[in-house]
Amino acid sequence: QVHLVESGGGLVQAGGSLRLSCLASGRTFSSVAMGWFRQAPGKERVFVGGISRSGATTDYADSVKGRFTISRDNAKNTVYLQMNSLKPDDTGVFYCAAPSSGTYYPPLSDDGYDYWGQGTQVTVSS
């Protein structure tokens, strides 16, 4: 079992930055790949990016490449999502997620994840 808690969301103007954090507990953190997802109002949840167990490998959705960076601190059981050059289209609830399997690389779709945080709201104003 993995328990995830996101923080760091808020209201920001277009072009601004935010850093989200996701604190994990309940399982050896370094044994799980992690993912970030966004759900915009009235839309399905979509993959934003993910990071491998060691942190050596990351994957990003095309829409955020070059603007978002995922990192992790296994000593602090925390994964981060640094978001720069934010756009109004980035608005939504952001979730971190973890798979139950010991896959090294992060799954690229939500059906690869079994544990989810409660989400944190990010609103980007134009």
Side-chain angles (χ1 to χ4, degrees):
Q1 190 79 5
V2 178
H3 184 58
L4 303 170
V5 179
E6 302 96 336
S7 61
L11 173 64
V12 63
Q13 289 189 331
S17 298
L18 280 175
R19 188 176 81 155
L20 306 185
S21 300
C22 172
L23 177 64
S25 61
R27 181 174 169 179
T28 303
F29 184 63
S30 59
S31 69
V32 291
M34 297 292 295
W36 283 97
F37 289 77
R38 180 186 73 244
Q39 187 164 24
K43 296 188 177 181
E44 293 185 353
R45 190 163 53 192
V46 297
F47 177 77
V48 172
I51 189 165
S52 62
R53 297 200 318 241
S54 70
T57 301
T58 51
D59 269 306
Y60 299 96
D62 288 343
S63 61
V64 306
K65 282 180 181 176
R67 299 189 298 123
F68 290 12
T69 302
I70 297 174
S71 61
R72 66 191 295 162
D73 186 337
N74 286 346
K76 295 183 178 179
N77 288 1
T78 301
V79 62
Y80 304 98
L81 178 63
Q82 176 67 45
M83 304 186 294
N84 299 328
S85 302
L86 281 161
K87 305 174 181 179
D89 283 350
D90 295 320
T91 293
V93 178
F94 281 72
Y95 299 90
C96 66
S100 61
S101 69
T103 178
Y104 179 80
Y105 294 104
L108 303 183
S109 63
D110 60 0
D111 59 4
Y113 294 85
D114 303 285
Y115 305 108
W116 296 84
Q118 83 289 349
T120 186
Q121 176 70 45
V122 171
T123 302
V124 185
S125 63
S126 57

